[in-house]
Amino acid sequence: TGKVNLPLVGSVKVVGLSTAQARDSITKALEKYVQSPTVRINIRNFRVSVLGEVSRPGYFEVQNERFTLAEALARCGDLTMYGKRDDVMIIRDVNGQKQFMKFDLTNRELFRSENFLLHNNDIVYVTPIKQKKFLVQTYHRLLPLIFSGLSLSYVIYRAIDGGNL
């Protein structure tokens, strides 16, 4: 529900707050009952998924709320040679609605963007280049093998059939 229940204080609203803001809010609520309270907040379930054309796609548990897009890509081993550096997407759930934000990693303005910092449960998707579809399909790899086999069969047939090539 976005609230923390504490003895004496009751519930304190922390939804939408950073850890520093939540700590200050809880400290302020506790000051009514405790002299100079010390509050420490640790994030336990900050999680980011990285998918698409990266070396090691997957999800990452993060212990820090200041986790950037660059750090997420570094954690997964960077983009593969098939990843489009100018088409990286962050998918974020905001109030039950999906938000899609595209980034160009070759543009230094990316580092000034407020969305460069990832949020809990963000999904980072690296789009593949168009040529990858062709490169990954197996038929273009099989065609030389098929033609070689047909050529070899023809040569063997002609050699058995009378030696005239």
Side-chain angles (χ1 to χ4, degrees), residues 152-165:
L152 181 62
S153 299
Y154 178 74
V155 168
I156 291 172
Y157 170 77
R158 294 298 287 171
I160 293 173
D161 190 34
N164 297 331
L165 296 174

PDB file of all heavy atoms in Angstrom, residues 152-165:
ATOM      1  N   LEU A 152      29.195 -32.326 -56.054  1.00  0.00           N
ATOM      2  CA  LEU A 152      29.938 -33.560 -55.804  1.00  0.00           C
ATOM      3  C   LEU A 152      29.167 -34.766 -56.350  1.00  0.00           C
ATOM      4  O   LEU A 152      29.753 -35.661 -56.980  1.00  0.00           O
ATOM      5  CB  LEU A 152      30.221 -33.729 -54.313  1.00  0.00           C
ATOM      6  CG  LEU A 152      31.001 -34.965 -53.909  1.00  0.00           C
ATOM      7  CD1 LEU A 152      32.391 -34.947 -54.538  1.00  0.00           C
ATOM      8  CD2 LEU A 152      31.096 -35.061 -52.398  1.00  0.00           C
ATOM      9  N   SER A 153      27.866 -34.786 -56.138  1.00  0.00           N
ATOM     10  CA  SER A 153      27.035 -35.885 -56.657  1.00  0.00           C
ATOM     11  C   SER A 153      27.104 -35.939 -58.184  1.00  0.00           C
ATOM     12  O   SER A 153      27.196 -37.019 -58.771  1.00  0.00           O
ATOM     13  CB  SER A 153      25.579 -35.712 -56.224  1.00  0.00           C
ATOM     14  OG  SER A 153      25.469 -35.723 -54.835  1.00  0.00           O
ATOM     15  N   TYR A 154      27.059 -34.784 -58.837  1.00  0.00           N
ATOM     16  CA  TYR A 154      27.128 -34.731 -60.298  1.00  0.00           C
ATOM     17  C   TYR A 154      28.474 -35.255 -60.795  1.00  0.00           C
ATOM     18  O   TYR A 154      28.539 -36.029 -61.752  1.00  0.00           O
ATOM     19  CB  TYR A 154      26.886 -33.296 -60.767  1.00  0.00           C
ATOM     20  CG  TYR A 154      26.992 -33.139 -62.269  1.00  0.00           C
ATOM     21  CD1 TYR A 154      25.975 -33.606 -63.097  1.00  0.00           C
ATOM     22  CD2 TYR A 154      28.110 -32.550 -62.847  1.00  0.00           C
ATOM     23  CE1 TYR A 154      26.067 -33.476 -64.469  1.00  0.00           C
ATOM     24  CE2 TYR A 154      28.212 -32.422 -64.225  1.00  0.00           C
ATOM     25  CZ  TYR A 154      27.185 -32.885 -65.025  1.00  0.00           C
ATOM     26  OH  TYR A 154      27.274 -32.759 -66.389  1.00  0.00           O
ATOM     27  N   VAL A 155      29.556 -34.843 -60.138  1.00  0.00           N
ATOM     28  CA  VAL A 155      30.898 -35.294 -60.538  1.00  0.00           C
ATOM     29  C   VAL A 155      31.010 -36.803 -60.366  1.00  0.00           C
ATOM     30  O   VAL A 155      31.526 -37.511 -61.242  1.00  0.00           O
ATOM     31  CB  VAL A 155      31.989 -34.545 -59.730  1.00  0.00           C
ATOM     32  CG1 VAL A 155      33.356 -35.182 -59.909  1.00  0.00           C
ATOM     33  CG2 VAL A 155      32.027 -33.074 -60.118  1.00  0.00           C
ATOM     34  N   ILE A 156      30.539 -37.337 -59.268  1.00  0.00           N
ATOM     35  CA  ILE A 156      30.607 -38.781 -59.022  1.00  0.00           C
ATOM     36  C   ILE A 156      29.751 -39.519 -60.038  1.00  0.00           C
ATOM     37  O   ILE A 156      30.167 -40.544 -60.638  1.00  0.00           O
ATOM     38  CB  ILE A 156      30.171 -39.121 -57.579  1.00  0.00           C
ATOM     39  CG1 ILE A 156      31.221 -38.588 -56.587  1.00  0.00           C
ATOM     40  CG2 ILE A 156      29.980 -40.625 -57.401  1.00  0.00           C
ATOM     41  CD1 ILE A 156      30.797 -38.692 -55.136  1.00  0.00           C
ATOM     42  N   TYR A 157      28.554 -39.030 -60.322  1.00  0.00           N
ATOM     43  CA  TYR A 157      27.651 -39.637 -61.299  1.00  0.00           C
ATOM     44  C   TYR A 157      28.314 -39.676 -62.681  1.00  0.00           C
ATOM     45  O   TYR A 157      28.309 -40.700 -63.357  1.00  0.00           O
ATOM     46  CB  TYR A 157      26.317 -38.894 -61.346  1.00  0.00           C
ATOM     47  CG  TYR A 157      25.449 -39.312 -62.482  1.00  0.00           C
ATOM     48  CD1 TYR A 157      24.745 -40.525 -62.430  1.00  0.00           C
ATOM     49  CD2 TYR A 157      25.330 -38.532 -63.633  1.00  0.00           C
ATOM     50  CE1 TYR A 157      23.938 -40.931 -63.494  1.00  0.00           C
ATOM     51  CE2 TYR A 157      24.534 -38.930 -64.693  1.00  0.00           C
ATOM     52  CZ  TYR A 157      23.831 -40.121 -64.605  1.00  0.00           C
ATOM     53  OH  TYR A 157      23.051 -40.521 -65.660  1.00  0.00           O
ATOM     54  N   ARG A 158      28.901 -38.544 -63.092  1.00  0.00           N
ATOM     55  CA  ARG A 158      29.533 -38.476 -64.411  1.00  0.00           C
ATOM     56  C   ARG A 158      30.770 -39.386 -64.487  1.00  0.00           C
ATOM     57  O   ARG A 158      31.040 -39.977 -65.519  1.00  0.00           O
ATOM     58  CB  ARG A 158      29.925 -37.044 -64.744  1.00  0.00           C
ATOM     59  CG  ARG A 158      28.733 -36.110 -64.907  1.00  0.00           C
ATOM     60  CD  ARG A 158      27.819 -36.506 -66.035  1.00  0.00           C
ATOM     61  NE  ARG A 158      28.487 -36.201 -67.299  1.00  0.00           N
ATOM     62  CZ  ARG A 158      28.062 -36.561 -68.466  1.00  0.00           C
ATOM     63  NH1 ARG A 158      26.956 -37.257 -68.563  1.00  0.00           N
ATOM     64  NH2 ARG A 158      28.721 -36.258 -69.542  1.00  0.00           N
ATOM     65  N   ALA A 159      31.486 -39.505 -63.358  1.00  0.00           N
ATOM     66  CA  ALA A 159      32.670 -40.359 -63.346  1.00  0.00           C
ATOM     67  C   ALA A 159      32.268 -41.830 -63.465  1.00  0.00           C
ATOM     68  O   ALA A 159      32.905 -42.607 -64.171  1.00  0.00           O
ATOM     69  CB  ALA A 159      33.461 -40.145 -62.057  1.00  0.00           C
ATOM     70  N   ILE A 160      31.178 -42.210 -62.845  1.00  0.00           N
ATOM     71  CA  ILE A 160      30.709 -43.590 -62.905  1.00  0.00           C
ATOM     72  C   ILE A 160      30.049 -43.853 -64.264  1.00  0.00           C
ATOM     73  O   ILE A 160      30.181 -44.921 -64.831  1.00  0.00           O
ATOM     74  CB  ILE A 160      29.720 -43.879 -61.754  1.00  0.00           C
ATOM     75  CG1 ILE A 160      30.448 -43.816 -60.423  1.00  0.00           C
ATOM     76  CG2 ILE A 160      29.030 -45.219 -61.941  1.00  0.00           C
ATOM     77  CD1 ILE A 160      29.543 -43.916 -59.225  1.00  0.00           C
ATOM     78  N   ASP A 161      29.403 -42.870 -64.836  1.00  0.00           N
ATOM     79  CA  ASP A 161      28.639 -43.008 -66.060  1.00  0.00           C
ATOM     80  C   ASP A 161      29.506 -43.112 -67.307  1.00  0.00           C
ATOM     81  O   ASP A 161      29.023 -43.418 -68.364  1.00  0.00           O
ATOM     82  CB  ASP A 161      27.685 -41.827 -66.197  1.00  0.00           C
ATOM     83  CG  ASP A 161      26.681 -42.013 -67.312  1.00  0.00           C
ATOM     84  OD1 ASP A 161      26.255 -43.162 -67.565  1.00  0.00           O
ATOM     85  OD2 ASP A 161      26.329 -40.995 -67.942  1.00  0.00           O
ATOM     86  N   GLY A 162      30.720 -42.834 -67.235  1.00  0.00           N
ATOM     87  CA  GLY A 162      31.550 -43.003 -68.434  1.00  0.00           C
ATOM     88  C   GLY A 162      32.786 -42.145 -68.400  1.00  0.00           C
ATOM     89  O   GLY A 162      33.528 -42.120 -69.363  1.00  0.00           O
ATOM     90  N   GLY A 163      32.983 -41.450 -67.366  1.00  0.00           N
ATOM     91  CA  GLY A 163      34.197 -40.688 -67.234  1.00  0.00           C
ATOM     92  C   GLY A 163      34.202 -39.371 -67.959  1.00  0.00           C
ATOM     93  O   GLY A 163      35.174 -38.643 -67.911  1.00  0.00           O
ATOM     94  N   ASN A 164      33.161 -39.038 -68.701  1.00  0.00           N
ATOM     95  CA  ASN A 164      33.116 -37.748 -69.379  1.00  0.00           C
ATOM     96  C   ASN A 164      32.484 -36.694 -68.466  1.00  0.00           C
ATOM     97  O   ASN A 164      31.343 -36.831 -68.048  1.00  0.00           O
ATOM     98  CB  ASN A 164      32.297 -37.842 -70.656  1.00  0.00           C
ATOM     99  CG  ASN A 164      32.919 -38.797 -71.647  1.00  0.00           C
ATOM    100  OD1 ASN A 164      34.142 -38.964 -71.637  1.00  0.00           O
ATOM    101  ND2 ASN A 164      32.100 -39.413 -72.469  1.00  0.00           N
ATOM    102  N   LEU A 165      33.231 -35.695 -68.217  1.00  0.00           N
ATOM    103  CA  LEU A 165      32.716 -34.614 -67.374  1.00  0.00           C
ATOM    104  C   LEU A 165      32.206 -33.563 -68.276  1.00  0.00           C
ATOM    105  O   LEU A 165      31.833 -32.605 -68.335  1.00  0.00           O
ATOM    106  CB  LEU A 165      33.794 -34.072 -66.410  1.00  0.00           C
ATOM    107  CG  LEU A 165      34.294 -35.071 -65.380  1.00  0.00           C
ATOM    108  CD1 LEU A 165      35.443 -34.469 -64.600  1.00  0.00           C
ATOM    109  CD2 LEU A 165      33.179 -35.462 -64.434  1.00  0.00           C
TER     110      LEU A 165
END
